[in-house]
Amino acid sequence: MKKSYITWNMKEQDGNLWFSFMNINGLCKVSLNKNKAEFIGYFEKEDFDQQLLYADIDIKEDNIILAPFNGKEIAIFDMKSNIIKYIPFENYENENLNNQYAKYSNLFTWKNNIFILGYSFPMIIKIDMQTNEVEYIYDFKFEIEQQIAENESRGFFTEGYFIKNEKAYLPIGCLGAVLELDLNSNCSKIIKLKCNLDGIGALVLDQNEMVWLVGRGKKNNILVKWDINNNSFSEWKIPNIDKSCWDPFHTISCLEDKVILWPSSAQKIIFFDLSKNEMKELNVVEVYSKNEFSHFSWTTLAPVEVLDKIIFISGRNGKWFELDKKDLSISEFNIDWNSIDFYYYEKKMERILETGEIVSEKTMPIQYFFRFI
């Protein structure tokens, strides 16, 4: 295999992993029974090797919904018709944020609605899947923008959400606050948390209705447990986090007796043992960085729970791994990418023929060159 394929987020359904590629243009399905990748579709309005087109993904009935990070439109793949349809959205210019390409990074579905959460855009897109009606929710915009610095880069909505009493709770990356959104009326309010966070990298609700949050920004080494019913907080310091690393963790997983922090810029996975009240760390970069493929700076990507495993990716070398939820052992997760390789180099040859680009073994492996000419 001449390339390694990665994704930002993925979802499991009926023994298949669904995701949009992070480093090329395309939608993919991986069969967990065969560990084999299948190319599903190409976002035809984008260049074939455009990166970071879509971030989060969700599955609603027979639809795969994708949040446009760098993509021009919202994408929805209909699994019955095998057609990708698109929904345009209004752009928003924000002089206080310097990530103008990073439009929307996360989404969730509730009843017949899709909610797509802005990253550089201080708004939420709500789409009725039955009528295709599009609404823009931004009554919180002024309050947030009044509190952020010029050239703020931590983003508006970060990873994770939970729903309680028909209200969604969303982490705000550039504030130590959570947005409470009424899913029926679209009214919202900002809840300022009584803890030491000045920005939130991720949140998750555990099985005991405790909310876990991790820091982002200047106070990046803090793990918080929020008892939302009593509005009380507990905090722990995360060891060995560089103060200059403003986005150390991007996702939180909660097991029965452990909390796992998945690193973006930090170089380690953190395991917090609740029964022992202690943190352990695994230096992922040191263990998994020896690979000829170098992709993105994120240490880990796309953790997804599948039965007794958590499958995740090393963004730095493109390798896939699985973590055993019982003993926390990690092993490599091998995927047959042959069909994706064929698609990638077929598209690359089309561009070479169009542009007259000089061909080398590095840009076009010889077995594909002779196959396509």
Side-chain angles (χ1 to χ4, degrees), residues 42-190:
Y42 168 64
F43 304 111
E44 63 268 14
K45 296 186 179 182
E46 313 285 354
D47 192 64
F48 90 96
D49 58 358
Q50 178 66 54
Q51 299 182 345
L52 301 171
L53 282 174
Y54 293 94
D56 202 6
I57 182 171
D58 204 356
I59 301 174
K60 180 71 171 178
E61 297 174 349
D62 295 313
N63 294 291
I64 307 288
I65 306 144
L66 299 130
F69 194 71
N70 200 22
K72 297 181 178 73
E73 297 179 324
I74 298 159
I76 300 177
F77 174 68
D78 187 320
M79 289 188 279
K80 286 185 175 179
S81 65
N82 287 326
I83 293 174
I84 300 176
K85 60 182 179 181
Y86 300 92
I87 299 176
F89 57 88
E90 297 177 6
N91 281 326
Y92 176 86
E93 296 297 329
N94 182 3
E95 62 184 13
N96 288 329
L97 282 166
N98 60 19
N99 296 20
Q100 289 302 322
Y101 75 96
K103 301 166 187 173
Y104 295 87
S105 59
N106 294 289
L107 64 82
F108 66 92
T109 59
W110 180 77
K111 294 186 177 178
N112 294 317
N113 297 299
I114 308 167
F115 294 84
I116 302 179
L117 313 178
Y119 187 81
S120 286
F121 295 178
M123 65 172 63
I124 297 169
I125 300 175
K126 181 179 181 180
I127 303 170
D128 187 312
M129 295 188 68
Q130 292 183 330
T131 65
N132 284 332
E133 179 185 0
V134 177
E135 297 179 77
Y136 295 90
I137 305 169
Y138 50 87
D139 59 343
F140 51 82
K141 181 177 80 74
F142 179 78
E143 185 175 351
I144 294 179
E145 289 188 332
Q146 291 300 302
Q147 299 180 61
I148 61 175
E150 187 175 354
N151 294 322
E152 173 63 67
S153 60
R154 288 176 292 168
F156 284 98
F157 297 109
T158 47
E159 187 71 26
Y161 74 96
F162 65 92
I163 295 174
K164 184 180 176 67
N165 299 327
E166 300 197 336
K167 294 179 180 179
Y169 294 82
L170 313 171
I172 301 175
C174 53
L175 293 177
V178 169
L179 186 79
E180 179 188 87
L181 175 65
D182 187 305
L183 298 173
N184 294 300
S185 68
N186 297 343
C187 294
S188 68
K189 71 175 182 178
I190 294 174

Side-chain angles (χ1 to χ4, degrees), residues 215-240:
R216 183 180 180 93
K218 294 181 179 179
K219 298 178 180 179
N220 61 355
N221 64 339
I222 299 175
L223 175 66
V224 171
K225 182 176 73 173
W226 175 23
D227 183 339
I228 190 171
N229 296 313
N230 297 308
N231 199 32
S232 61
F233 297 84
S234 303
E235 296 185 11
W236 293 265
K237 288 287 182 67
I238 304 169
N240 305 318

Side-chain angles (χ1 to χ4, degrees), residues 199-256:
I200 300 171
L203 67 69
V204 69
L205 182 71
D206 72 14
Q207 60 188 8
N208 298 313
E209 288 210 335
M210 297 294 161
V211 183
W212 294 88
L213 311 99
V214 68
R216 183 180 180 93
K218 294 181 179 179
K219 298 178 180 179
N220 61 355
N221 64 339
I222 299 175
L223 175 66
V224 171
K225 182 176 73 173
W226 175 23
D227 183 339
I228 190 171
N229 296 313
N230 297 308
N231 199 32
S232 61
F233 297 84
S234 303
E235 296 185 11
W236 293 265
K237 288 287 182 67
I238 304 169
N240 305 318
I241 299 298
D242 190 334
K243 284 292 184 183
S244 65
C245 175
W246 59 268
D247 63 338
F249 301 99
H250 64 83
T251 306
I252 306 173
S253 297
C254 288
L255 307 183
E256 186 175 343

